[in-house]
Amino acid sequence: MKNRTSSHFFILVLIVFLASVSHYAIYYGGLIRGYEASWFTAVRNIGLLSLLAILPVFLKRFAKFEGNWTVYTCAVLLFSIGLTVQYRLFSDPEYISRKDKAEARQQKIKTLQLHYIQENYSAEKKQMMGLPPSPPSPVDLSSETPTPSAEELGSVLASGKTVNPILGILGLIAAFLLLKRDRVLELLQKNGFLIVLLTLGPLFVAAVWSRAGKFGGNLTPWELAKIPFLIGFAAILAALYKNLAKTYWGIPRAKDVVPLVFMAILPFLPFFVLKDFGQMMVFSGVYATLYLIAVRRFSQRFVLVGSVLLVVGILVVGALPEKTQEKIPLLPTLASPVKQVLPNRIQQRFHLWLDGFNPPTPETAWWKDDYDDYYKKLVEKDPNLPQMIEEDPNLQRTINVDAWFDVLAFQPAQATFGLASGGTTGRGLGLGYPELIPVADSDYIFAALAEELGLFGGLLLTFALIVFVSAGVRTALDCRDMFSKLCCIGLAAFIGFQALVNIGGITRALPMTGITLPFVSHGGFSLITSFVMLGMLMAFSHRNAIDRRQNNVQALP
């Protein structure tokens, strides 16, 4: 398809239409279960998508955008999927309830049971149950009184689900308008190290004051740090990449590689304090990709790939569950020193990944503290519990299983069940049970999507991500200088690796790290960062188009 604004505008209008139909399907599904979804939220979501649909017209007319619209269209498609799934989740009384989840669930079950009785039971059976003796008939939803939505217009407009996308769109426009200027790019390239240092200060403060990986309640302001860290690493790599070709056995000279390693390590320090190993995985993948792009010699790439595989192999061997290690001779002995060094959080994630449905023993070092806390709470409720365990040792095994799924394994287990129940085509929008997955609107949103839209919905999302990353790579190949190439490929790699880590964790292809899905998950700073990255990619694409046009003019006789 040619890169015409009108063609992409038509696709965006189609996305808005399909999102509107999906929102109505969710509203109707809520009526079937006895509750009413918020019309204010639906109108807000369609309004945001409509704004994104008409934004290309203004960018073309007033900002003279000449680049490729593919990344923008894919991002809007991903965002529409995210808004639809979030509307499904936050409309459900059980999902948003903090105290009365059981009551909300019971109310839905009762409504579904009454609908089934009305449609399938004879008049005699209904009379025996104390119901009006009417013959089987379809349910008339218009005659029923569903539980009204508690959301009001003011709360919808003032919520983060409205403010964050607007801030993201403004960030997109600002990033595009700034980075399409040569002077701004030159300034960023010359001051990359300073930008990183200025970012580290506030980031360390946020990391120190954070709790459980969150700052100020449920915020993750370090998401925005991805962009300055990328700019800093791309700036120093663009300055040194020619010298990296001078190697000895595939290893560059120390004076060239030490500044690069130092710049690469800086982002890992605050994320290590945060114990955010998902972000560390993403940064590792992005930085390795940038290095592979910058170096030209096969020996350098071979050394890098071999080093990465060695580190990953050591990590996996050390974090393997004990039952798995015992099956391979000498592996427990080799893994023992690595296991002593690995943080407990990494060992937890690997056990959840490889043997998540079988809890470790209570004596396992990384699980012992959580188990002891759970056991103490049980003893407070029932002081006779220690004596009962002495009489029946198998009771401890039962408690250990309960503790494992209550504390750590419940969320990934529910996500796995959701994926399995979705099948090929899904249960249908509003007809599944994604509300049973904790925090399904953020880290586990892919599981919620796959349950109701099935394999087809998951493939649609994956295809949009692949096209987005491919368009970003195409933009990077067309860039005129190494700094622009590295920034562009880094932006595409950030989106790609973050999506890979998220979807891989949910599908159990990778360890789950608690990282959001770009443009799709409900995350404030994550969503804003994704839109800013989109604006930067569009700026590089615009610059490439301008360069091509100037080259064509110069080539004319």
Side-chain angles (χ1 to χ4, degrees):
M1 183 180 66
K2 294 184 178 180
N3 185 45
R4 295 175 179 171
T5 305
S6 58
S7 301
H8 286 270
F9 176 74
F10 173 77
I11 296 174
L12 293 171
V13 171
L14 180 61
I15 290 173
V16 175
F17 172 75
L18 293 176
S20 302
V21 174
S22 300
H23 278 63
Y24 178 76
I26 293 170
Y27 178 83
Y28 190 81
L31 295 180
I32 293 176
R33 297 186 176 190
Y35 65 86
E36 186 177 26
S38 171
W39 276 104
F40 295 131
T41 303
V43 172
R44 187 271 313 277
N45 291 348
I46 302 304
L48 288 172
L49 292 175
S50 300
L51 175 62
L52 289 170
I54 64 174
L55 184 59
V57 179
F58 291 94
L59 290 178
K60 182 69 175 180
R61 182 175 181 83
F62 298 105
K64 307 300 181 183
F65 179 76
E66 299 291 341
N68 196 308
W69 289 107
T70 303
V71 289
Y72 182 85
T73 304
C74 290
V76 175
L77 174 59
L78 292 169
F79 183 57
S80 68
I81 294 173
L83 286 182
T84 302
V85 178
Q86 291 169 34
Y87 180 65
R88 161 65 183 92
L89 292 169
F90 288 109
S91 298
D92 196 302
E94 180 182 351
Y95 187 79
I96 61 177
S97 177
R98 295 185 178 181
K99 297 181 179 179
D100 302 324
K101 286 185 179 292
E103 181 179 346
R105 183 183 307 170
Q106 190 63 34
Q107 185 64 36
K108 290 192 299 182
I109 293 174
K110 182 179 179 181
T111 302
L112 291 173
Q113 289 175 338
L114 290 175
H115 288 173
Y116 183 83
I117 291 171
Q118 180 176 338
E119 292 178 342
N120 298 280
Y121 279 28
S122 63
E124 293 78 8
K125 284 187 177 181
K126 291 179 182 177
Q127 188 174 17
M128 292 173 61
M129 298 176 65
L131 299 174
S134 59
S137 61
V139 176
D140 183 11
L141 295 177
S142 61
S143 63
E144 296 187 349
T145 305
T147 303
S149 172
E151 292 186 331
E152 298 179 353
L153 179 60
S155 61
V156 170
L157 294 178
S159 69
K161 304 181 192 67
T162 304
V163 175
N164 292 328
I166 292 176
L167 292 177
I169 295 172
L170 293 176
L172 181 155
I173 298 172
F176 169 72
L177 295 177
L178 287 174
L179 288 183
K180 74 174 187 175
R181 302 175 182 272
D182 291 339
R183 293 181 61 184
V184 174
L185 276 181
E186 292 175 1
L187 182 66
L188 293 177
Q189 185 173 2
K190 292 179 180 178
N191 299 279
F193 183 68
L194 179 61
I195 293 172
V196 172
L197 290 181
L198 292 176
T199 305
L200 277 176
L203 186 58
F204 263 115
V205 173
V208 171
W209 285 91
S210 67
R211 285 189 176 183
K214 304 293 183 180
F215 175 81
N218 200 33
L219 303 178
T220 54
W222 37 85
E223 287 279 350
L224 295 171
K226 296 176 183 177
I227 298 173
F229 281 137
L230 171 62
I231 292 173
F233 189 75
I236 193 169
L237 190 55
L240 296 175
Y241 80 97
K242 292 182 179 180
N243 297 335
L244 294 175
K246 303 173 182 179
T247 64
Y248 182 77
W249 290 94
I251 302 176
R253 297 177 300 181
K255 68 176 184 179
D256 297 323
V257 77
V258 168
L260 200 61
V261 173
F262 176 75
M263 185 68 78
I265 289 176
L266 288 179
F268 290 88
L269 300 178
F271 287 123
F272 188 82
V273 174
L274 287 165
K275 296 181 180 179
D276 194 342
F277 299 105
Q279 296 292 359
M280 293 171 67
M281 287 176 61
V282 173
F283 268 94
S284 300
V286 172
Y287 282 0
T289 302
L290 293 182
Y291 185 82
L292 287 173
I293 296 297
V295 299
R296 305 296 175 87
R297 300 180 63 180
F298 173 77
S299 58
Q300 292 175 282
R301 295 177 176 177
F302 181 80
V303 169
L304 176 66
V305 173
S307 302
V308 171
L309 292 177
L310 178 62
V311 172
V312 172
I314 293 174
L315 180 65
V316 171
V317 168
L320 283 175
E322 294 182 0
K323 295 180 181 178
T324 305
Q325 293 179 359
E326 292 173 355
K327 298 178 181 179
I328 303 175
L330 299 179
L331 190 57
T333 305
L334 296 175
S336 179
V338 180
K339 191 179 291 289
Q340 298 298 325
V341 178
L342 286 180
N344 291 343
R345 190 178 180 88
I346 291 183
Q347 297 187 54
Q348 287 178 358
R349 298 297 183 181
F350 270 84
H351 191 99
L352 283 169
W353 172 38
L354 297 170
D355 202 15
F357 288 93
N358 294 314
T361 61
E363 293 77 20
T364 304
W366 54 265
W367 169 237
K368 188 176 186 303
D369 291 340
D370 290 328
Y371 173 81
D372 290 342
D373 292 340
Y374 186 88
Y375 179 74
K376 289 178 182 177
K377 293 179 181 178
L378 293 180
V379 172
E380 291 176 359
K381 296 180 180 179
D382 186 359
N384 297 322
L385 185 60
Q387 182 179 354
M388 295 169 62
I389 293 178
E390 290 181 2
E391 297 174 355
D392 184 8
N394 290 328
L395 182 58
Q396 185 182 32
R397 186 182 307 168
T398 303
I399 294 174
N400 187 45
V401 173
D402 292 343
W404 174 248
F405 284 97
D406 285 350
V407 177
L408 288 178
F410 180 74
Q411 190 179 25
Q414 290 296 98
T416 302
F417 295 146
L419 289 173
S421 63
T424 304
T425 57
R427 290 176 170 269
L429 283 173
L431 302 179
Y433 296 92
E435 65 271 15
L436 300 180
I437 306 173
V439 201
D441 60 288
S442 182
D443 303 346
Y444 283 83
I445 197 167
F446 184 81
L449 167 74
E451 179 175 353
E452 299 209 329
L453 295 182
L455 178 63
F456 289 155
L459 288 177
L460 173 64
L461 186 146
T462 305
F463 178 74
L465 286 166
I466 292 174
V467 174
F468 182 97
V469 174
S470 300
V473 172
R474 180 72 261 177
T475 303
L477 293 174
D478 294 338
C479 287
R480 69 176 99 163
D481 59 273
M482 181 56 72
F483 177 69
S484 299
K485 285 181 183 293
L486 293 174
C487 283
C488 202
I489 200 69
L491 293 168
F494 260 121
I495 299 296
F497 277 111
Q498 186 167 332
L500 178 65
V501 170
N502 178 275
I503 297 176
I506 292 173
T507 57
R508 299 174 67 88
L510 292 172
M512 188 62 196
T513 58
I515 202 169
T516 55
L517 189 58
F519 297 108
V520 182
S521 294
H522 170 233
F525 286 100
S526 175
L527 182 64
I528 295 171
T529 303
S530 298
F531 271 109
V532 172
M533 288 182 173
L534 172 61
M536 295 173 69
L537 278 173
M538 293 174 64
F540 287 117
S541 179
H542 171 78
R543 288 164 56 85
N544 294 342
I546 297 298
D547 291 343
R548 282 196 300 269
R549 188 173 63 182
Q550 291 177 351
N551 293 336
N552 293 336
V553 171
Q554 293 175 0
L556 293 175

